[in-house]
Amino acid sequence: MVYQVVVTRGYAQPDGSTVFGDIGLSRLTDAGLAWRVLDEEVGELRAEQLAEADAVLVLGHERVTARSIPASGRLRHVARFGAGFDAVDTEACARRGVLVTNAPDAVRRPVADSVIALLYALSHHLVVKDRLVREGRWAERGAWRGPGLTGATVGIVGLGGIGLETARRVRAQGLRVLGYNRSDRAREAAEAGVELATLDDVLSTSDYVVVAVAANPGTRHLIGERELALMRPTARLINVSRGVVVDEEALIARLSDSRLAGAGLDVFTEEPLTPDSPLTALDNVILAPHSLCWTDQYTAAVSASVMASLIAVSRGEQPPETVNGPF
């Protein structure tokens, strides 16, 4: 029986083309696997859609729940195109012997680069200055002198792969880096030049706070109204994690009355962000459509990791980047 891989429809077309570009599905064909793209886009995958699948490649934010797993027991593998797996019920998959994989190593560098892009854009009011030129408001440029980065402190909330990679890049700029992680990362922090601190100290001390934690029930609104109140009015928040990690309403309130100087956001509580969101009217916010890290190098790296995992599992091998295995 030919090993069957189902690709979710949200970010893909029937011919295998995707919003990311060429993700290398031909590698599956070359390895003797068959693949097809689902006929419809859904929020939660249904068991009947996966009834004849050995593996499912989740390109977007489609949810995989206990209801998604067919009773036949044929489904063996859920592969996430990216690092986040908050939309996958990993425990339900584990109970049914379904391996879940992601691509964290492939994602960490592109996302860390995104943080640096937002850091400099916020420091130099880049988006506003672009608008001044386009709208003929050259005379207003004196009102938008940015805060220099020399001597700035960057706090990183979440010292996983992305957080540590970001720390290395920030340290290379000669900046001080504070870090907070819920579990022990003392050795990794020391190697990256990060000074460990409590969450409250990171928030109250930093000029820029980068949120890079994984999204799970324990991190929902980790940065809430109380935590935002600890940040100085001159500080700026960068979120490349998930929208639910930050209390968006509380953030909007503080940005709107200048109790927080600015924010760079690539993720939101609800996506796509609606055009009438208060965030779109704020000059002190830089917005990106959850794709700031999408470069040709991002696609190449994630594709290579994901295809390797799919092929490995099809051959009964253990892939290196598992979330809930091995089985």
Side-chain angles (χ1 to χ4, degrees), residues 5-326:
V5 178
V6 165
V7 183
T8 58
R9 181 59 187 271
Y11 287 179
Q13 295 302 312
D15 63 358
S17 59
T18 80
V19 68
F20 303 107
D22 181 4
I23 62 170
L25 290 168
S26 61
R27 294 177 221 171
L28 300 181
T29 304
D30 293 343
L33 283 64
W35 59 268
R36 65 178 177 86
V37 178
L38 289 176
D39 294 332
E40 61 177 317
E41 179 179 353
V42 295
E44 179 183 352
L45 292 172
R46 302 190 302 272
E48 61 265 27
Q49 293 177 302
L50 307 179
E52 299 180 0
D54 297 288
V56 55
L57 170 52
V58 182
L59 289 181
H61 300 292
E62 297 90 349
R63 299 189 305 281
V64 180
T65 68
R67 292 187 297 271
S68 306
I69 304 173
S72 66
R74 178 171 176 176
L75 185 68
R76 298 169 52 190
H77 183 194
V78 175
R80 269 285 295 126
F81 194 90
F85 52 89
D86 47 298
V88 179
D89 187 335
T90 57
E91 293 184 2
C93 288
R95 289 195 298 270
R96 301 289 292 276
V98 179
L99 187 68
V100 180
T101 62
N102 62 345
D105 287 345
V107 167
R108 58 186 174 86
R109 289 188 177 183
V111 177
D113 288 341
S114 299
V115 173
I116 300 302
L118 288 171
L119 180 67
Y120 277 94
L122 287 167
S123 174
H124 291 270
H125 295 301
L126 181 61
V127 172
V128 172
K129 289 178 179 178
D130 174 87
R131 192 180 307 130
L132 294 182
V133 176
R134 295 177 187 275
E135 297 176 359
R137 297 159 54 196
W138 197 278
E140 298 178 32
R141 59 183 176 167
W144 293 98
R145 288 185 295 274
L149 285 172
T150 301
T153 296
V154 176
I156 301 176
V157 179
L159 297 176
I162 291 171
L164 290 170
E165 192 67 32
T166 298
R168 296 184 188 100
R169 279 160 165 67
V170 172
R171 287 284 297 141
Q173 311 303 312
L175 305 182
R176 180 190 182 199
V177 180
L178 297 180
Y180 165 77
N181 201 69
R182 294 196 300 165
S183 60
D184 180 23
R185 302 286 278 176
R187 178 181 59 81
E188 295 86 350
E191 291 174 351
V194 178
E195 302 173 40
L196 288 177
T198 66
L199 177 59
D200 286 4
D201 284 345
V202 168
L203 295 170
S204 63
T205 304
S206 301
D207 300 292
Y208 296 85
V209 173
V210 178
V211 182
V213 298
N216 55 54
T219 59
R220 178 178 175 80
H221 287 186
L222 177 68
I223 308 300
E225 186 172 0
R226 186 194 76 84
E227 289 74 23
L228 290 168
L230 294 173
M231 296 179 65
R232 294 178 291 185
T234 56
R236 289 160 173 81
L237 178 80
I238 294 173
N239 188 9
V240 292
S241 172
R242 286 289 191 266
V244 296
V245 174
V246 176
D247 184 335
E248 199 166 279
E249 290 187 6
L251 177 63
I252 290 171
R254 300 198 76 82
L255 290 167
S256 298
D257 61 11
S258 299
R259 286 179 291 164
L260 193 64
L265 308 174
D266 189 40
V267 291
F268 307 93
T269 301
E270 297 292 337
E271 297 181 6
L273 185 70
T274 58
D276 61 352
S277 167
L279 288 169
T280 64
L282 297 174
D283 280 335
N284 56 348
V285 180
I286 297 175
L287 308 173
H290 203 155
S291 63
L292 195 57
C293 72
W294 289 7
T295 63
D296 55 351
Q297 293 177 344
Y298 167 87
T299 297
V302 177
S303 298
S305 175
V306 172
M307 297 307 152
S309 290
L310 285 164
I311 293 169
V313 175
S314 76
R315 295 173 175 171
E317 301 169 358
Q318 182 71 24
E321 297 176 331
T322 60
V323 174
N324 68 342

